[in-house]
Every structure is written in C-alpha cells, then in structure tokens.
Amino acid sequence: MKRIAILISGGGSNMLRLVEDMQTLGYAAPVLVASNDPSAAGIAHAGRLGVPTAVIDHRLFGKDRAAFEAELLKPLLAAAPDVVCLAGFMRVLTPDFVRRFEGRMLNIHPSLLPKYPGLHTHQRALEAGDPEAGCTVHEVTPVLDDGPILGQARVPVAPDDSAESLAARVLVQEHRLYPAVLRRFVAGTRTRLDL
Ligand code: GAR
C-alpha cells in the first residue's frame, strides 16, 4: 500500500478530498498531514479522520527557509511517504527540499498552467478576459508551479464572475481532479488526465 503525506497551509479542502478518496477506495494510506500554519483548519479535520498530523510554524524560523524545511523534514521522513501531495501549501520550497522528493511530489494549482503561476490566478484570468479557467495537478520541480502536467480540469468564465465566484467553481473541479490524478499516479500512470 502506497503511503501518502499531504502538506497544507489552510482550510485543507483538497487534502480532505484526498484523504476521503484514499480511505473510501483503499488504494493508498494517508500517513501524515503537515501544516506550516498552526491556525490551519485542515489539521483538526485530518485528526478527526484519524490521520497523524504535524505543525511546523514557519514564522519561528524568520527568513531561514532551510531551517524551517529541516524541521518539516523530521515528521515527513518519519512518515516515510511514497508520494508527497502539496494541497494549498503556500510556502515556496527550496530546490534541495524538492529534489528529495522529485518524481514523487505533486501540487495542485488553481490555473491552467503554464498560465498564471504564482498568486492571484483567478483575478489574472479575469483581467486577461480568458473564456475559461481551471486547475492543474503537476509534478513538483525546483521551478515554481512548473513540472510535468498530470491533469487539468476546466470551467467556463461567466460574464459576471468575480475572483471569488470563479475560485469557488474552480475549487469544485480541484476536488474532482486531485483524487483522480493521485489514483492514477499511485498506479504508475503518468499520462495526462483532462476532465
Ligand atoms: C486551492 O485552490 C489550491 O489550488 C490553492 O490554494 C487553495 C487551497 O484550498 N493552491 C495554491 O494557490 C498553491 N499555489 P484548500 O486548503 O481548501 O485545499
């Protein structure tokens, strides 16, 4: 059984979908949910689902990313994951950290990459007048929001969309896409999924 660790920073709705999917279908085991933010609501939710949790507050390390990542690595290595899923994890990881998990670390990003890496993706899609938006699951490489694309899901942009309404519709698709990609990834499939 493949072991899956999930890194979050906030509400953790994508993390919850991944955990539910694994627990329902039994194709992998969620072995750790870790957050860089002690106030992340997802930590309590994960605990209620019986998943071990860890919190490493990045603010305790100031600008020292390497020191933060050294602490994050402790529970992560102890959990011995086969795959690490970033699910709303909002810290940029150093190349050293990424290389430890290269080829087995996934991320979900709320845009149709390569469009709009980084932040404010929905606002940028609206300002560009894009007819559609969506989300991407990709392998993590040392370049931010880069790496081989494993799946995308699309939504039409409505004329009266705000960044918030668009984000909410994209999030529904994120919840479909990420578990579907993880199931395939665990089974060894690297071809791209389009929903
Ligand atoms: C999701 O929309 C995810 O795609 C985005 O943060 C949200 C987290 O929601 N991730 C990024 O922007 C990463 N750069 P969640 O905590 O409810 O899953």
Side-chain angles (χ1 to χ4, degrees):
M1 173 89 77
K2 295 287 187 196
R3 301 168 65 82
I4 314 296
I6 307 171
L7 304 187
I8 66 169
S9 298
S13 68
N14 276 291
M15 172 276 294
L16 286 173
R17 282 293 301 120
L18 292 176
V19 169
E20 284 164 5
D21 199 66
M22 285 184 257
Q23 291 183 338
T24 304
L25 298 178
Y27 60 89
V31 293
L32 179 70
V33 171
S35 171
N36 64 293
D37 185 342
S39 67
I43 285 292
H45 293 314
R48 276 195 286 280
L49 289 172
V51 183
T53 59
V55 175
I56 312 294
D57 185 350
H58 71 276
R59 287 165 299 199
L60 300 177
F61 303 91
K63 290 189 190 319
D64 192 345
R65 279 185 197 277
F68 161 67
E69 290 178 353
E71 283 307 304
L72 180 60
L73 264 181
K74 289 177 186 170
L76 204 46
L77 293 180
D82 297 293
V83 179
V84 177
C85 293
L86 308 184
F89 184 69
M90 303 307 282
R91 303 302 299 167
V92 174
L93 294 166
T94 67
D96 278 352
F97 188 95
V98 169
R99 279 194 202 101
R100 280 178 175 270
F101 300 102
E102 204 156 357
R104 54 196 185 100
M105 181 150 62
L106 311 183
N107 179 46
I108 187 153
H109 183 75
S111 79
L112 295 172
L113 289 172
K115 279 192 165 182
Y116 317 130
L119 300 175
H120 311 302
T121 54
H122 305 103
Q123 189 59 40
R124 288 154 74 195
L126 291 177
E127 282 167 8
D130 290 354
E132 62 176 8
C135 51
T136 303
V137 176
H138 64 97
E139 286 185 39
V140 176
T141 63
V143 180
L144 181 70
D145 297 330
D146 202 68
I149 289 175
L150 297 169
Q152 287 189 323
R154 291 160 191 274
V155 299
V157 175
D160 59 349
D161 257 329
S162 63
E164 291 72 26
S165 66
L166 184 56
R169 277 206 325 288
V170 170
L171 190 62
V172 172
Q173 297 306 313
E174 294 184 42
H175 294 165
R176 293 176 64 220
L177 181 68
Y178 211 172
V181 170
L182 180 63
R183 269 178 242 144
R184 289 159 52 97
F185 192 79
V186 162
T189 304
R190 300 287 184 275
T191 51
R192 178 188 166 124
L193 175 67
D194 281 289
L195 295 183

